[in-house]
Amino acid sequence: MSILQERTQQNKKKRSRAARWDVKYSPYIFILPFFILFALVGLFPLAYTAWVSLNEWSLLGGQGDFAGLDNFTSVLNERDFWIALRNTLSIFVIQVVPQLIIATVIAAALDRNLRNATFWRMAVLLPYVMMPVAVALIFSNMFGDRYGLVNNVLGTFGLSPVAWHNDVLASHVAIATMVNFRWTGYAALILLAGMQAIPRDYYEAATIDGAGAFRQFFSITLPQLKPTAIFVVITATIGGLQIFDEALLYDLAGTGGPDKEWLTLTLYLYNLGWRDLDFGRASAVAWLLFLIIVVIGLLNLFISSRISSSQGKRK
């Protein structure tokens, strides 16, 4: 074999090896910038917060003595933490359930053959792009105890005014209404994308079989929409348990109410960190909130997967 042939074979082997490496490793190289950015802005703050939660740490004095789990114990023994947890879960339930129902109805309406469909889809998203501060200020005045628009409307029907800033359930309904105003359109567009991914052949076959619009919606749309609905539920869970702007701006004081009627976990965390200047206990609350979100998110995923599997077995 000549030297030229040997070099040609060696070059072929190198190119073949480089091609195998390219197929095997280039996808990881392409997604590497995301993981680097995620490590910098996601994992590092999370790990650093865990370290802060294990120490006595103040805004003015900086890091103090190692405290172990004392910050967690102190937080769990405080009444305000359990009130904030109750309020957060209550607002979350009041907000998420109507949001998913209304978003599904809006998505189903937008999935029809409407004139100017792009305009209506953009209009649904307008509340989402509004500043949370503006939404909170507008709705806090609408739900005013004396001169609020809602109480004025109730008065025209002969109903008694509601103490929106002094009653626990009423304040939760008001804050949940603010959140739903901003996020329902966003959830509706995600559900709409899932609906449009459903093959149209299913609806044509159902129409030939004589199924009406409602029967098609419950027999075709909702079952096929489950993966998208699970995603919306999980994202709504993460966002619903981190309510902050609406609770902070619901009154002028920003402390969660005179008797902590709408104090949420994030607002409680904010008060510990920036009012009491106790970063150690604030970081402990942040980690407790993170664990609560993970547990509820996994519970939602488990329930959704069980429902999907049970319906699949019946088929």
Side-chain angles (χ1 to χ4, degrees), residues 10-21:
Q10 289 177 358
N11 291 333
K12 287 182 178 180
K13 290 180 180 179
K14 289 180 180 179
R15 286 195 297 267
S16 177
R17 190 182 304 114
R20 290 196 301 269
W21 286 353

Side-chain angles (χ1 to χ4, degrees), residues 87-97 236-237 240-241 296 300:
N87 294 341
T88 301
L89 295 177
S90 174
I91 295 172
F92 165 70
V93 173
I94 296 173
Q95 168 236 324
V96 168
V97 176
T237 299
L241 294 174
I296 295 179
N300 284 336

Side-chain angles (χ1 to χ4, degrees), residues 102-104 106-107 110 124 183-193:
I102 298 172
T104 304
I106 294 175
L110 293 176
V124 167
W183 288 95
T184 301
Y186 173 80
L189 287 185
I190 295 178
L191 292 172
L192 174 62

